[in-house]
Each structure stands twice: as structure tokens, then as C-alpha cells.
Amino acid sequence: TTESSPTNASDFIVTTSFNEVVEGLELSDYVVTNGQVTDLQKDVSDESLYTVKVTPEGDGLVSISLPSSKVLDSAGNDNDGSNTLAVTINRSAITTNITTQESSPTNKSRVEVAIEFSEVVTGFEAEDIVVTNGTKENFAGSGTSYTVDVLPSDDGSVRVDVAGNAAQNNAGTGNSKAAQLIIKSDKTGPTVALSTTESSPTNASDFIVTTSF
């Protein structure tokens, strides 16, 4: 097969090569684990070649082989057993989580954010992290774990997102979109004002003062 391993393909083609023209090959002759074979075809330009489509039943190892004594050549000789071809399937979605140890609301000017994938990925870069009401710097990490510093711009909600298919595993499967991380930034200290309804000057023996924040 020309399919790489591991792969996230929903099916792939396997070629069976004989050293001479044979007859009698059927789909039921193949031994397949974790998959099914369909669409047996003889090559019109080379009758010693056959192809079948293999459809995996699930993630994991898919193997296919052709046992001995399944076909005959023109002299009535049967075939030897083939090698076993194995392809690893990985089509499971990669989960993505964005977390921080910082409490919300926070008055910090810098918040460290962690991005965790459920399996090793490549191709993930700082540009794949979208920050609203803030900037980012100090992106680092590899494999399943990455970090970035988020610097809030203004008071209010700071949002961090990672889109789907921002990174891929070794089978080419992309990550799922992460749940948005929201942190409330509050770097402005409280203001205070004192007021009274009492006029000035006054002859009152006492009066009420209101403290407003």
C-alpha cells in the first residue's frame, strides 16, 4: 500500500503482487484483522497484480495477509503465503484544554496559561492562540504541553481560544476546538468619596457621612 502508518484514512488500497499470472483469487481468501476488504480488482495492464480496498473497523492495528493455496497458476501450482501487511489507524479526536492557576478576578499584569492536548501533536504555534483584550508572549512547549503568558490590556474579560485543527498528531488528525478560557482582569484600585446631606455651616449636634466606593 502507499498509505503511511499511522494514518487517519477511512480506507486504503492494498496491492497483491504475484510473480506470474494466477486465477481464482477471491475476497474471502484474505485474512484481515480490525477491518474489511472490498472491491477486488485485477490490473488490466498486468494480470499478476490485484488490488483490494481495506476499510478499518476502529483505531489500532489493521493487518491483512493472503494464506497459501488460494490461487493457481496455469500449471496448477498453488501460491505460497504472503507477508502480513500492517497499518496503524488513529482517527480519534485530539482533545484540547486551556487552563490557568490564576484566580478570577485577578489584578496580575501577567497570567500564565497552559494548553494541554490529549496526545502528542506537532505544528502548534503561538499564532494558533487567540487572545481577546490582551496580548501574549513567551510561548513555549512541545508534545502534549504548551504554555503562554497572557497580558491583559484593560479591565474586564480576557478570553483565550485555540481553534480546531491548529495541531496534528502523527496520523494527521487535527485537534478539537478548546473550550474558551475567560479570566476577569481588574487592575484598577477602588476610588472612595465621602459625602453628607448636612449643609455647611450647620448647628447640628451630629450628622451622617456616607462613604462611597
Side-chain angles (χ1 to χ4, degrees), residues 16-25 41-51 71-72:
T16 305
S17 303
F18 298 97
N19 63 345
E20 60 182 305
V21 174
V22 296
E23 297 293 338
L25 183 62
Q41 299 285 337
K42 179 188 287 189
D43 192 314
V44 294
S45 61
D46 186 348
E47 293 187 354
S48 66
L49 298 179
Y50 293 78
T51 59
V71 297
L72 299 173

Side-chain angles (χ1 to χ4, degrees), residues 73-154:
D73 65 12
S74 59
N77 300 305
D78 56 18
N79 66 288
D80 293 331
S82 73
N83 60 304
T84 298
L85 178 68
V87 175
T88 299
I89 304 299
N90 187 350
R91 293 182 294 183
S92 297
I94 305 167
T95 59
T96 312
N97 292 308
I98 310 174
T99 59
T100 182
Q101 297 298 314
E102 194 62 50
S103 59
S104 181
T106 181
N107 64 354
K108 298 292 181 62
S109 60
R110 182 183 301 271
V111 176
E112 183 175 285
V113 172
I115 299 96
E116 294 283 339
F117 297 96
S118 58
E119 58 182 285
V120 172
V121 296
T122 57
F124 187 58
E125 300 176 350
E127 291 73 18
D128 297 317
I129 304 169
V130 178
V131 179
T132 305
N133 188 29
T135 58
K136 62 198 172 187
E137 62 183 26
N138 298 331
F139 173 77
S142 62
T144 61
S145 302
Y146 298 80
T147 58
V148 68
D149 289 342
V150 173
L151 287 63
S153 297
D154 300 304

Side-chain angles (χ1 to χ4, degrees), residues 198-202:
E198 194 63 45
S199 61
S200 179
T202 181

